[in-house]
């Protein structure tokens, strides 16, 4: 693309049109720019346009945004992106121009170009852009000398974006060389500007400087702090260790000084708080990583942070400062310098002046509770990534309890009693004090390792429950004081295993009632509490609550759960749907319960099909349907037709509308329904079977496991229909495609094994040469441990189902005598790798039958092969799995994905029940030695010699032991 007045005019017009509210000119402009982006020098031309003063500011800003996105997609595009990369010569010219242009631009354009520069830096800095840092330093020094803080902050902002890449990278020699290079060039001027700006702030504050003068200076100090964090993150650099006094002196001043001109306005206070939060992150980093070097400054900082926290208001705009400051104190509390908190009344003062104020409910918490229940629950119950003041304050108490547990317990218990007394004096007004008390108890409870059980030293759980929690749960009005109700439900959920069963059973009807609460949080917590209660286990691992316990109120419970999904904003409430799934998994499902439940679930399903939004909710719907079908049909198989009538419209809608997220679920449910049917299957199912055979259905990798599951169900329930009209040929075509790729070969074996298990030999015989050819080709071209184990299992299954003669004959049609080669070179070394009780039994029995029944192996010439196979069999049945296991290297997914690929998620409740192909044989070890004893009795004296010559000494001893254990003799 050439730079000329015409290009300037056309591009300017296009960028202006991209801002148009009218769709037609906007889309035309976007199309033109998308095509132009493929032309050489496009990025350079756009950069020239951004520099053109005659072009309007908003057009240049649109061009700067486009330029930044152009670099993101084309500076170093991925191989499969399909876009052409920027040429090396254009890259060099862009790198030459961008810094000076960024510094001379207006703030809006400067921020876009700074981000664009960071994109280049991520790929090229420092090795392929050695000129960048010297240019930034030179510009920084000129701007500082001129007092141009707009330019200073532009440069520091750019440096901050680039150096951020040093955080959280793997520690390599290459990384440390890069950091060393940056430190040598950038650390001295960074310190210079940091110290100079600090003295400018001092002068401005003492002379009563205005907020307008102070703001750019504070912005500059904040950026210096963020760069300091990045350069110090991986290791303590010598430069900063040598200059620690300077940096820490300014840091402490930031935390301890007042800045009235800024702190009098909301945005000025935010700027001061942002700087202080950045300082707190820096001293926390030093406390965590460089404690020894930092210790002489520690006491002063602990005092400054503590004082600061006492003055930080509850305003949400100050949350960042409060959480970073409390984090610092928490780090100190668990360090070797925890003695700072050992003084008399220190813990009491921290609790009263820092913890309680930050745990107490604020107006913002109430607003979140009412307006965004999902975010409230995420923060309150699930511990989201967001550091809330409430959680971080409790973390400080936990940190203090590491070394001062007795004092913390005493102080917090006393505070809890004070809060509860305050509540009792005026419940309607002081209800937040009770909420604070409950929150402290729940948050400071200790989870026992490896279980759901929790404990607390703050209270006696049962008496606290009876006096504080129970009144809330027995309140007639489920809608009064909803935050207290939510806190009480959370308490019950947390301490569920502490409550005796008879007592908890009396509470179940109350929990069912709370599902009718209007508050989304309250009915979500009620559902979650019921769901978690049903998971409680007794000592021996038995479930504490069983079907009979919930039978008396089951219908009311299910009614209230489905009604709760009708509340505004709870239409896709995952806590309610998870509770429905759990209840159906425990309850006794009669026809009276099944009818309304399937009606409710299909009604919800048809709604979400219109616009699937919440993957977790959707998963629980399908699990709920699967568990309902399974549990109801276990009790009464005649219900299957009612389920089909209800479910088919929804499943057909998913298939017809190609709802990609739901297809794997639909196939798994269909498989479950097919398996529950008695042959012959209805025409509805057979239509789906024909759809299943179409190659188009198998193109999305996310569908493959579910399609295989469904295909297995048809092979099992409709073997006669499968063998009609060339359908078996199509099924085996699917097997062949799947087994050819390492990512799907296991699925291919599932299909093949089911064919062998359920179809008569006469039907499969014509295809066996092709099957063996496909398997041997894959074995030759790309064998993996997973494939080898699957092939051993398949050959074993074929032998036990259709006999050794068919196995030998069909293999040898591929190539004469290939059977002996496969046994010798493949079967013998791999049989010992098999894992899993059913698989071990199958392969041990098959290999034993092979050496006891196959003429080829019983011939004297095959004695060595016979002995080697027996050696592998003894290894298989006598050694533990961990001794035989071989690590499988990670296999990349090489399946070609076409279009949208949803990840496959297995439905636990629609899982296939694996059949044991040898139900009559209970103990494979007994089968092995009994078969050998029978064989040796027919040729006395022959086999002990072969065993002595071919079995490892350890296996000879193991075989002798097995013979003795099962009273068998090899003669």
């Amino acid at each position: 693309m050439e730079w000329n007045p015409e290009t300037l005019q056309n591009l300017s017009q296009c960028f202006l049109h991209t801002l148009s509210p009218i769709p037609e000119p906007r889309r035309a402009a976007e199309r033109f720019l998308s095509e132009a982006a493929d032309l050489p020098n496009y990025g350079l031309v756009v950069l020239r346009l951004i520099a053109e003063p005659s072009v309007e500011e908003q057009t240049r800003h649109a061009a700067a945004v486009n330029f930044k996105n152009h670099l993101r997609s084309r500076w170093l595009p991925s191989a499969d992106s399909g876009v052409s990369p920027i040429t090396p010569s254009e890259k060099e010219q862009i790198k030459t121009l961008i810094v000076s242009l960024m510094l001379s631009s207006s703030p809006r354009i400067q921020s876009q170009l700074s981000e664009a520069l960071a994109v280049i830096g991520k790929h090229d800095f420092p090795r392929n852009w050695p000129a960048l840092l010297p240019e930034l330093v030179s510009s920084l020094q000129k701007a500082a000398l001129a007092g141009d803080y707009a330019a200073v902050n532009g440069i520091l902002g750019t440096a901050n974006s680039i150096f951020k890449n040093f955080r959280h990278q793997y520690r390599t020699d290459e990384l440390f060389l890069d950091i060393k290079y940056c430190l040598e060039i950038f650390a001295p001027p960074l310190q210079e500007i940091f110290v100079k700006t600090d003295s400018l702030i001092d002068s401005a504050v003492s002379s009563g400087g205005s907020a307008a003068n102070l703001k750019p200076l504070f912005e500059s100090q904040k950026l210096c702090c963020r760069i300091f964090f990045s350069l110090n993150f991986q290791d303590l650099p010598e430069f900063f260790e040598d200059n620690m006094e300077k940096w820490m002196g300014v840091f402490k001043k930031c935390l301890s000084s007042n800045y009235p001109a800024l702190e009098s306005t909301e945005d000025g206070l935010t700027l001061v708080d942002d700087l202080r939060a950045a300082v707190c992150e820096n001293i926390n980093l030093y406390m965590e990583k460089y404690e020894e070097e930092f210790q002489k400054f520690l006491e002063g900082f602990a005092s400054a942070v503590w004082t600061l926290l006492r003055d930080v208001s509850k305003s949400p705009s100050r949350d960042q400062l409060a959480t970073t400051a409390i984090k610092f104190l928490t780090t100190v509390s668990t360090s070797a310098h925890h003695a700072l908190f050992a003084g008399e009344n220190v813990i009491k003062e921290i609790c009263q002046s820092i913890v309680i104020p930050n745990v107490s409910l604020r107006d913002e918490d109430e607003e979140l509770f009412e307006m965004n229940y999902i975010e409230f629950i995420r923060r309150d119950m699930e511990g989201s990534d967001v550091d809330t003041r409430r959680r971080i304050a409790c973390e400080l108490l936990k940190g203090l309890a590491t070394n001062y547990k007795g004092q913390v317990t005493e102080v917090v218990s006393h505070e809890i009693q004070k809060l509860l007394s305050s509540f009792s004096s005026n419940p309607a007004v002081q209800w937040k004090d009770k909420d604070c008390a409950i929150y402290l108890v729940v948050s400071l409870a200790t989870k026992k390792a490896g279980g759901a059980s929790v404990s607390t030293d703050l209270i006696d759980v049962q008496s606290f429950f009876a006096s504080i929690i129970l009144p809330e749960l027995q309140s007639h009005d489920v809608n009064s004081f909803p935050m207290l109700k939510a806190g009480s439900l959370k308490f019950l959920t947390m301490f569920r295993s502490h409550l005796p069963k008879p007592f908890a059973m009396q509470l179940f009807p109350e929990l069912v009632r709370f599902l009718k609460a209007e508050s989304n949080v309250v009915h979500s917590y009620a559902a979650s509490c019921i769901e978690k209660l049903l998971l409680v286990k007794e000592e021996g691992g038995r479930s504490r609550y069983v079907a009979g316990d919930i039978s008396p109120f089951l219908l009311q419970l299910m009614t209230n759960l489905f009604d709760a999904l009708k509340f505004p904003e709870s239409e896709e409430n995952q806590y309610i749907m998870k509770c429905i799934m759990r209840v159906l998994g425990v309850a006794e499902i009669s026809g009276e319960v099944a009818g309304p439940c399937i009606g409710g679930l299909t009604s919800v399903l048809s709604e979400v099909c219109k616009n699937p939004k919440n993957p977790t909710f959707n998963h629980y719907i399908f699990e709920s349907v699967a568990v309902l079908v399974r549990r109801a049909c276990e009790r009464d198989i005649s219900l299957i037709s009612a389920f089909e009538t209800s479910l088919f419209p929804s499943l057909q809608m998913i298939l017809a509308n190609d709802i990609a997220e739901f297809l794997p679920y639909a196939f798994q449910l269909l498989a479950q329904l097919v398996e529950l049917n008695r042959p012959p299957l209805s025409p509805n199912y057979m239509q789906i079977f024909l759809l299943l055979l179409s190659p188009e259905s198998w193109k999305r990798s996310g569908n493959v496991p579910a399609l295989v599951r469904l295909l297995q169900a048809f092979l099992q329930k409709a073997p006669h229909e499968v063998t009609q009209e060339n359908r078996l040929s199509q099924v085996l075509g699917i097997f062949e495609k799947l087994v050819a790729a390492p990512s799907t070969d296991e699925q291919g074996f599932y299909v093949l094994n089911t064919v062998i298990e359920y179809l008569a030999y006469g039907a499969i015989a014509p295809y066996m040469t092709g099957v063996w050819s496909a398997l041997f080709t894959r074995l030759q071209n790309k064998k993996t441990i997973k494939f080898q184990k699957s092939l051993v299992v398949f050959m074993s299954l074929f032998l036990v189902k259709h006999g050794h003669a068919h196995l030998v004959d069909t293999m040898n049609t591929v190539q004469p005598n290939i059977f002996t080669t496969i046994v010798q070179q493949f079967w013998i070394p791999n049989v010992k790798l098999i894992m899993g009780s059913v698989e071990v039994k199958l392969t041990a029995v098959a290999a034993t039958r092979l050496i006891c029944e196959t003429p080829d192996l019983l011939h004297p010439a095959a004695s060595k092969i016979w002995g080697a196979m027996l050696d592998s069999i003894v290894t298989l049945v006598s050694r533990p799995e961990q001794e035989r296991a071989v690590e499988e290297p990670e296999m990349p997914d090489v399946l070609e994905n076409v279009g949208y690929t949803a990840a496959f998620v297995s439905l636990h409740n629609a899982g296939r029940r694996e059949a044991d192909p040898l139900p009559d044989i209970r103990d494979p070890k007994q089968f092995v030695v009994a078969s050998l004893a029978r064989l040796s009795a027919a040729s006395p004296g022959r086999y002990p010699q072969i065993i002595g010559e071919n079995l490892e000494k350890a296996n000879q001893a193991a075989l002798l032991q097995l013979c003795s254990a099962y009273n068998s003799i090899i003669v």
Side-chain angles (χ1 to χ4, degrees):
M1 184 176 259
E2 292 296 319
W3 173 254
N4 55 44
E6 191 186 343
T7 304
L8 173 66
Q9 177 65 34
N10 286 344
L11 280 178
S12 300
Q13 199 66 41
C14 271
F15 284 123
L16 193 60
H17 283 325
T18 60
L19 306 172
S20 170
I22 304 160
E24 272 317 303
R26 187 177 70 246
R27 286 182 193 138
E30 286 166 355
R31 268 196 308 275
F32 175 83
L33 291 171
S34 174
E35 287 164 15
D38 284 326
L39 299 172
N41 293 328
Y42 170 80
L44 205 53
V45 169
V46 174
L47 201 58
R48 294 277 298 271
L49 186 150
I50 296 164
E52 190 57 55
S54 62
V55 178
E56 281 184 20
E57 162 90 5
Q58 66 167 348
T59 303
R60 286 188 291 132
H61 180 255
V65 173
N66 176 274
F67 175 74
K68 172 190 73 180
N69 293 331
H70 178 71
L71 296 197
R72 275 186 181 153
S73 63
R74 291 173 188 262
W75 195 268
L76 199 73
S78 58
D80 58 354
S81 65
V83 299
S84 49
I86 298 168
T87 61
S89 62
E90 187 183 350
K91 283 182 178 182
E92 288 310 311
Q93 290 180 74
I94 288 171
K95 287 196 279 198
T96 306
L97 296 171
I98 192 166
V99 176
S100 55
L101 177 55
M102 180 196 76
L103 295 176
S104 62
S105 299
S106 65
R108 282 177 75 209
I109 293 172
Q110 187 180 78
S111 72
Q112 295 300 324
L113 291 178
S114 175
E115 283 184 51
L117 196 152
V119 170
I120 305 171
K122 186 179 177 185
H123 299 300
D124 286 18
F125 179 80
R127 281 147 206 264
N128 296 325
W129 198 359
L132 173 63
L133 221 47
E135 188 178 355
L136 285 178
V137 168
S138 166
S139 303
L140 181 64
Q141 287 166 334
K142 281 181 199 160
L145 201 62
D148 179 1
Y149 267 81
V152 165
N153 292 343
I155 297 158
L156 290 175
T158 302
N160 180 39
S161 298
I162 293 167
F163 295 149
K164 259 185 197 171
N165 292 327
F166 292 146
R167 303 180 198 175
H168 313 295
Q169 278 192 36
Y170 285 115
R171 294 162 67 89
T172 61
D173 291 345
E174 213 171 58
L175 173 68
F176 283 108
L177 282 172
D178 289 350
I179 295 173
K180 184 173 182 287
Y181 164 81
C182 295
L183 285 163
E184 283 169 358
I185 295 177
F186 204 81
L190 176 72
Q191 180 169 291
E192 205 177 298
I193 194 80
F194 186 62
V195 172
K196 180 184 177 180
T197 308
D198 176 58
S199 83
L200 289 174
I201 289 172
D202 285 350
S203 305
V205 169
S206 59
S207 64
S210 68
N213 292 336
L214 282 166
K215 278 179 182 177
L217 302 178
F218 270 77
E219 180 64 31
S220 174
Q221 293 299 72
K222 182 187 83 174
L223 288 166
C224 286
C225 284
R226 302 314 293 139
I227 294 168
F228 176 93
F229 188 84
S230 297
L231 294 176
N232 282 270
F233 190 88
Q234 294 286 356
D235 211 345
L236 177 57
E238 194 180 327
F239 177 86
F240 289 109
E241 189 174 356
D242 293 344
N243 291 281
M244 208 182 284
E245 293 277 355
K246 285 181 185 170
W247 285 88
M248 295 304 154
V250 179
F251 286 169
K252 186 150 180 266
K253 196 193 293 182
C254 292
L255 297 178
S256 326
S257 305
N258 292 318
Y259 305 99
L262 282 176
E263 290 174 300
S264 59
T265 64
E266 186 68 34
D267 63 330
L269 179 61
T270 300
L271 199 56
V272 176
D273 279 359
D274 284 351
L275 172 58
R276 286 173 176 157
V279 167
C280 286
E281 288 198 356
N282 285 341
I283 60 174
N284 193 47
L285 176 74
Y286 266 54
M287 190 62 223
E288 284 181 336
K289 293 192 169 190
Y290 319 121
E291 190 178 328
E292 193 181 328
E293 294 84 355
F294 180 66
Q295 63 181 345
K296 63 179 175 181
F297 305 101
L298 178 56
E299 197 167 339
F301 275 115
S303 170
V305 169
W306 188 341
T307 307
L308 182 68
L309 274 169
R310 289 158 74 172
D311 299 333
V312 172
S313 71
K314 286 187 171 187
S315 163
S317 65
R318 310 202 75 185
D319 284 358
Q320 176 70 6
L321 172 59
T323 55
T324 51
I326 294 171
K327 261 186 191 171
F328 171 71
L329 291 184
T330 306
T331 305
V332 177
S333 74
T334 56
S335 74
H337 302 280
H338 58 78
L340 288 171
F341 299 102
E344 200 180 339
N345 291 332
V346 172
I347 289 174
K348 183 178 180 183
E349 199 176 329
I350 286 175
C351 194
Q352 289 175 343
S353 60
I354 296 174
V355 176
I356 300 296
N358 281 295
V359 170
S360 299
L361 275 176
R362 301 176 296 166
D363 294 345
E364 293 73 27
D365 299 318
E366 291 183 72
E367 192 177 311
L368 191 67
F369 182 92
E370 289 168 18
M371 307 303 291
N372 187 349
Y373 83 96
I374 292 170
E375 183 57 24
F376 181 89
I377 294 173
R378 212 164 68 82
R379 293 182 186 187
D380 182 55
M381 191 158 74
E382 296 178 0
S384 72
D385 295 338
V386 180
D387 284 326
T388 64
R389 286 200 193 201
R390 296 190 105 186
R391 187 176 321 122
I392 225 81
C394 288
E395 288 301 317
L396 173 57
L397 282 179
K398 287 180 185 175
L400 289 166
T402 309
N403 296 292
Y404 305 101
K405 188 170 184 182
Q407 282 174 259
V408 170
T409 302
E410 188 184 332
V411 167
V412 177
S413 298
H414 180 67
E415 290 302 320
I416 287 169
Q417 291 313 313
K418 270 171 58 182
L419 289 162
L420 292 173
S421 299
S422 165
F423 166 75
S424 301
S425 66
N426 192 342
V429 174
Q430 306 291 7
W431 66 270
K432 288 184 185 179
D433 287 343
K434 181 173 181 178
D435 175 87
C436 185
I438 294 170
Y439 188 89
L440 281 168
V441 173
V442 170
S443 298
L444 296 175
T446 315
K447 278 196 173 178
K448 290 179 183 170
S453 184
V454 292
S455 61
T456 180
D457 298 320
L458 294 171
I459 52 152
D460 174 75
V461 172
Q462 297 201 9
S463 62
F464 188 89
F465 187 85
S467 58
I468 308 301
I469 303 298
L470 198 56
E472 296 299 335
L473 298 180
Q474 290 179 333
S475 160
H476 291 301
D477 184 0
V478 294
N479 295 315
S480 65
F481 299 103
M483 293 192 91
L484 273 185
K485 301 289 190 294
S488 300
L489 288 164
K490 188 179 163 191
F491 181 96
L492 172 54
T493 306
M494 176 69 81
F495 293 101
R496 58 191 178 276
S497 57
H498 287 251
L499 301 178
K501 182 174 175 177
F503 185 55
M505 288 314 308
Q506 291 172 12
L507 288 174
F508 257 101
E510 308 294 357
L511 295 175
V512 173
R513 200 165 52 87
F514 272 99
L515 292 168
K516 300 186 91 145
E518 289 167 12
S519 160
N520 298 89
V521 176
V522 172
H523 59 241
S524 298
Y525 278 18
S528 183
C529 187
I530 293 167
E531 191 262 326
K532 296 280 191 296
L533 270 168
L534 293 178
L535 287 175
V536 175
K537 297 276 190 278
E538 298 290 13
E539 279 292 316
R542 277 184 310 106
S543 295
R544 182 176 292 181
Y545 303 98
V546 293
D549 297 324
I550 56 174
S551 293
F553 41 83
L554 180 59
L555 270 174
Q556 189 62 56
L557 169 57
M558 297 315 294
T559 302
N560 287 10
L561 282 166
F562 281 110
D563 284 349
L565 291 170
K566 295 171 186 167
F567 280 111
E569 295 188 24
S570 267
E571 297 88 352
E572 295 190 22
N573 186 317
Q574 64 199 54
Y575 306 99
I576 293 169
M577 191 51 74
K578 190 177 185 183
C579 185
I580 290 172
M581 176 196 78
R582 190 74 62 212
V583 172
L584 292 173
V586 172
E588 194 72 47
I589 311 289
S590 62
E592 185 190 14
V593 174
C597 286
I598 198 66
L601 287 168
T602 48
S603 155
V604 173
L605 185 54
S606 60
E607 256 331 286
V608 296
C609 279
K610 293 173 188 172
N611 183 17
K613 293 194 291 284
N614 181 342
T616 310
F617 176 78
N618 298 338
H619 180 77
Y620 288 138
I621 297 176
F622 286 100
E623 283 286 13
S624 299
V625 172
V627 73
L628 175 63
V629 170
R630 178 171 64 79
R631 298 293 311 289
C633 291
E634 274 172 5
R635 192 173 172 206
D636 180 2
I637 195 63
S638 68
L639 289 169
I640 186 74
S641 59
F643 285 135
E644 288 170 341
T645 306
S646 298
L647 282 170
F648 257 77
S650 296
L651 296 175
Q652 282 167 334
M653 187 198 309
I654 292 167
L655 298 180
N657 296 335
D658 195 28
I659 302 171
E661 301 93 320
F662 289 174
L663 285 171
Y665 291 127
F667 295 137
Q668 289 176 84
L669 285 183
L670 283 165
Q672 186 185 29
L673 293 171
V674 169
E675 284 170 354
L676 287 165
N677 264 272
R678 293 198 179 99
L681 296 177
S682 72
N684 275 344
Y685 285 116
M686 294 320 294
Q687 279 179 328
I688 290 164
F689 178 59
L690 296 178
L691 177 78
L692 192 59
L693 297 179
S694 136
E696 203 58 37
S697 304
W698 296 82
K699 283 190 173 176
R700 290 190 190 129
S701 61
N703 292 344
V704 168
L707 288 168
V708 166
R709 167 98 180 76
L710 179 54
L711 186 51
Q712 286 179 287
F714 278 114
L715 290 167
Q716 183 183 340
K717 287 289 177 174
H720 178 70
E721 288 86 342
V722 171
T723 55
Q724 308 298 304
E725 299 172 20
N726 199 36
R727 289 173 193 156
L728 181 55
S729 171
Q730 292 170 279
V731 169
L732 291 171
I734 291 165
F735 142 75
E736 206 167 316
K737 185 173 186 298
L738 294 175
V739 91
S743 57
T744 54
D745 53 12
E746 211 166 11
Q747 300 295 330
F749 276 111
Y750 291 159
V751 173
L752 185 57
N753 290 348
T754 314
V755 166
I756 296 304
E757 203 161 346
Y758 292 102
L759 270 58
Y761 181 72
I764 59 175
Y767 300 98
M768 283 313 299
T769 305
V771 167
W772 290 122
S773 294
L775 293 171
F776 296 156
T777 303
R778 170 62 208 279
L779 186 63
Q780 199 171 8
N781 294 341
K782 195 162 193 176
K783 63 179 175 190
T784 61
I785 293 160
K786 178 165 62 98
F787 177 83
Q788 288 168 206
K789 291 198 281 191
S790 297
L791 181 50
V792 169
V793 169
F794 165 68
M795 293 191 302
S796 303
L797 182 67
F798 187 97
L799 187 145
V800 301
K801 285 289 173 186
H802 302 300
H804 62 83
H806 289 318
L807 179 73
V808 175
D809 293 347
T810 54
M811 270 197 194
N812 285 338
T813 58
V814 177
Q815 189 182 311
N817 299 319
I818 199 173
F819 167 75
T820 312
T821 309
I822 290 289
V823 169
Q824 197 170 1
Q825 294 178 13
F826 173 76
W827 203 330
I828 290 170
N830 285 297
V831 75
K832 61 186 92 163
L833 304 180
I834 302 303
M835 307 288 160
S837 57
V838 174
E839 289 85 351
V840 166
K841 178 169 81 166
L842 170 64
T843 48
V845 169
T848 304
R849 284 182 56 182
L850 202 60
I851 60 173
C852 292
E853 298 171 12
T854 313
D856 291 28
L857 297 184
L858 290 169
H859 195 278
S863 294
K864 265 191 163 331
I865 301 176
W866 191 98
M869 179 61 98
L870 179 58
D871 190 54
S872 283
I873 294 169
V874 175
T875 301
L876 179 70
V877 297
S878 67
R879 293 193 197 170
E881 285 193 356
Q882 59 267 29
E883 277 184 35
R884 300 184 286 106
V886 175
E887 283 297 306
E888 174 83 41
E890 286 277 317
M891 282 305 304
D893 188 349
V894 295
L895 186 76
E896 208 170 298
N897 295 334
V898 180
Y900 171 87
T901 56
F904 171 73
V905 182
S906 173
L907 284 175
H908 171 74
N909 288 296
R912 186 167 188 264
R913 296 192 177 174
E914 293 303 328
D916 182 350
L918 297 165
D920 299 334
I921 298 171
R922 296 212 172 161
D923 186 345
K925 294 176 185 176
Q926 185 176 19
F927 180 85
V928 171
V929 291
S931 302
L932 288 170
R934 274 197 306 276
L935 179 68
S936 72
S939 308
R942 179 181 169 195
Y943 291 101
Q945 186 187 346
I946 299 174
I947 290 166
E949 289 170 1
N950 293 285
L951 266 68
E952 290 178 18
K953 288 278 179 263
N955 281 348
Q956 289 184 38
L959 182 57
L960 205 59
Q961 211 173 350
L962 287 171
C963 288
S964 163
Y966 292 104
N967 244 348
S968 297
I969 304 169
I970 300 171
V971 292

CSV table of all heavy atoms in Angstrom, one decimal, residues 73-74 76-85:
chain,number,residue,atom,x,y,z
A,73,SER,N,-2.9,-9.3,15.6
A,73,SER,CA,-3.2,-10.4,14.8
A,73,SER,C,-2.1,-10.8,13.8
A,73,SER,O,-2.0,-11.9,13.3
A,73,SER,CB,-4.5,-10.2,14.0
A,73,SER,OG,-4.4,-9.1,13.2
A,74,ARG,N,-1.2,-9.8,13.5
A,74,ARG,CA,-0.3,-10.1,12.4
A,74,ARG,C,1.2,-9.9,12.7
A,74,ARG,O,2.1,-10.2,11.8
A,74,ARG,CB,-0.6,-9.1,11.2
A,74,ARG,CG,-1.9,-9.5,10.6
A,74,ARG,CD,-2.3,-8.5,9.5
A,74,ARG,NE,-3.7,-8.7,9.0
A,74,ARG,CZ,-4.0,-9.3,7.9
A,74,ARG,NH1,-3.1,-9.8,7.2
A,74,ARG,NH2,-5.3,-9.5,7.6
A,76,LEU,N,3.0,-11.6,14.9
A,76,LEU,CA,3.5,-13.0,14.9
A,76,LEU,C,2.3,-14.0,14.9
A,76,LEU,O,1.9,-14.6,15.9
A,76,LEU,CB,4.3,-13.3,16.2
A,76,LEU,CG,5.3,-14.5,16.1
A,76,LEU,CD1,6.4,-14.2,15.1
A,76,LEU,CD2,5.8,-14.8,17.4
A,77,PRO,N,1.6,-14.0,13.7
A,77,PRO,CA,0.3,-14.9,13.7
A,77,PRO,C,0.6,-16.3,13.8
A,77,PRO,O,1.7,-16.8,13.4
A,77,PRO,CB,-0.3,-14.5,12.3
A,77,PRO,CG,0.9,-14.1,11.5
A,77,PRO,CD,1.9,-13.5,12.4
A,78,SER,N,-0.3,-17.1,14.4
A,78,SER,CA,-0.1,-18.5,14.5
A,78,SER,C,-0.2,-19.2,13.1
A,78,SER,O,-0.9,-18.6,12.2
A,78,SER,CB,-1.2,-19.1,15.4
A,78,SER,OG,-2.5,-18.8,14.9
A,79,ALA,N,0.3,-20.3,13.0
A,79,ALA,CA,0.4,-21.0,11.6
A,79,ALA,C,-0.9,-21.2,11.0
A,79,ALA,O,-1.1,-21.2,9.8
A,79,ALA,CB,1.2,-22.3,11.8
A,80,ASP,N,-2.0,-21.5,11.9
A,80,ASP,CA,-3.3,-21.9,11.3
A,80,ASP,C,-4.2,-20.7,11.3
A,80,ASP,O,-5.4,-20.9,11.1
A,80,ASP,CB,-3.9,-23.0,12.2
A,80,ASP,CG,-4.0,-22.7,13.6
A,80,ASP,OD1,-3.5,-21.6,14.0
A,80,ASP,OD2,-4.6,-23.5,14.4
A,81,SER,N,-3.7,-19.4,11.5
A,81,SER,CA,-4.7,-18.3,11.6
A,81,SER,C,-5.1,-17.9,10.2
A,81,SER,O,-6.2,-17.2,10.1
A,81,SER,CB,-4.0,-17.1,12.3
A,81,SER,OG,-2.9,-16.7,11.5
A,82,GLY,N,-4.4,-18.2,9.2
A,82,GLY,CA,-4.8,-17.8,7.8
A,82,GLY,C,-4.5,-16.4,7.4
A,82,GLY,O,-4.9,-16.0,6.4
A,83,VAL,N,-3.9,-15.6,8.3
A,83,VAL,CA,-3.6,-14.2,8.0
A,83,VAL,C,-2.1,-14.1,7.6
A,83,VAL,O,-1.2,-14.8,8.1
A,83,VAL,CB,-3.9,-13.2,9.1
A,83,VAL,CG1,-5.4,-13.3,9.5
A,83,VAL,CG2,-3.1,-13.5,10.4
A,84,SER,N,-1.8,-13.1,6.8
A,84,SER,CA,-0.4,-12.9,6.3
A,84,SER,C,0.3,-12.0,7.4
A,84,SER,O,-0.2,-11.0,7.8
A,84,SER,CB,-0.4,-12.2,5.0
A,84,SER,OG,-1.2,-11.1,4.9
A,85,PRO,N,1.5,-12.4,7.8
A,85,PRO,CA,2.3,-11.6,8.8
A,85,PRO,C,2.8,-10.3,8.2
A,85,PRO,O,3.0,-10.2,7.0
A,85,PRO,CB,3.4,-12.6,9.2
A,85,PRO,CG,3.6,-13.5,8.0
A,85,PRO,CD,2.2,-13.6,7.3
